[in-house]
Amino acid sequence: MSNKVFFTPEGYNKLIDELEKLQKIERPKIIKEIEEARAKGDLSENAEYHAAKEKQVFIEKRITEISNKINKACIIDPNSVPKDKISFGCKVKLLNTDTDEEVEYMIVGEDEANPNEGKISVNSPIALALLGKEVGDIVTVKVPAGVKNFEIEDIS
């Protein structure tokens, strides 16, 4: 299972969209930029050419990276997971028992994680501590900022 890359359908579709954009728009665009820069003459001192070549390397690396992730993708629909215990794709409502602050997270794949949107990676310390837990459980999590204590209020 460690070979798999987990995605929600939404995250997988975003990755597919990014790959298509890179292959159909960005790659042809950078090839054209390289051709235009090459036409300007001496390549050894042509900053536009070197910048375009660097961008091309980045695009090709990203295409390869995305293709590898797609080949290893395991898509899990959040609607298909049981809601009695926390697992990938679940939304959880937590009460920080130290501050009485409520927080809500959705456990997603690494590529989908965005803490500003309340999406945390399945491999993050908080998600790892929450996996398999139930409503009412108290969880202590070591995070870079210290230790946090949460009570699980809801799983959806």
Side-chain angles (χ1 to χ4, degrees):
M1 264 191 107
S2 62
N3 212 13
K4 296 284 183 193
V5 181
F6 294 96
F7 291 96
T8 63
E10 176 187 353
Y12 182 78
N13 290 336
K14 282 183 181 179
L15 203 62
I16 293 291
D17 291 346
E18 182 183 352
L19 180 61
E20 287 182 9
K21 180 181 177 196
L22 288 169
Q23 291 176 325
K24 295 178 180 175
I25 297 170
E26 297 301 325
R27 182 186 271 163
K29 182 176 156 186
I30 198 65
I31 290 170
K32 185 177 180 184
E33 287 177 23
I34 291 169
E35 288 172 1
E36 289 172 1
R38 190 177 281 160
K40 292 182 180 177
D42 185 10
L43 298 181
S44 65
E45 295 182 21
N46 187 331
E48 287 177 35
Y49 174 78
H50 293 290
K53 288 297 281 183
E54 283 182 29
K55 188 173 179 183
Q56 182 184 37
V57 168
F58 172 79
I59 289 169
E60 294 303 325
K61 280 184 178 179
R62 185 66 182 148
I63 287 171
T64 300
E65 180 182 316
I66 292 171
S67 296
N68 288 336
K69 287 180 182 183
I70 288 170
N71 289 334
K72 296 177 182 178
C74 180
I75 304 163
I76 300 173
D77 185 351
N79 297 321
S80 70
V81 297
K83 306 297 188 245
D84 57 333
K85 292 184 181 203
I86 297 173
S87 63
F88 183 91
C90 286
K91 284 186 180 178
V92 294
K93 188 183 289 185
L94 308 171
L95 175 67
N96 183 324
T97 58
D98 301 320
T99 64
D100 284 336
E101 176 189 0
E102 278 190 342
V103 292
E104 202 169 301
Y105 295 119
M106 180 175 186
I107 300 174
V108 297
E110 287 185 16
D111 288 277
E112 300 174 75
N114 184 339
N116 294 331
E117 295 177 4
K119 295 179 178 181
I120 60 172
S121 167
V122 68
N123 296 319
S124 70
I126 293 175
L128 290 172
L130 293 172
L131 292 173
K133 302 295 190 275
E134 301 174 344
V135 171
D137 286 352
I138 304 289
V139 180
T140 300
V141 183
K142 276 187 162 182
V143 294
V147 175
K148 292 187 177 192
N149 296 295
F150 295 106
E151 179 179 351
I152 301 166
E153 293 186 325
D154 190 39
I155 303 170
S156 60

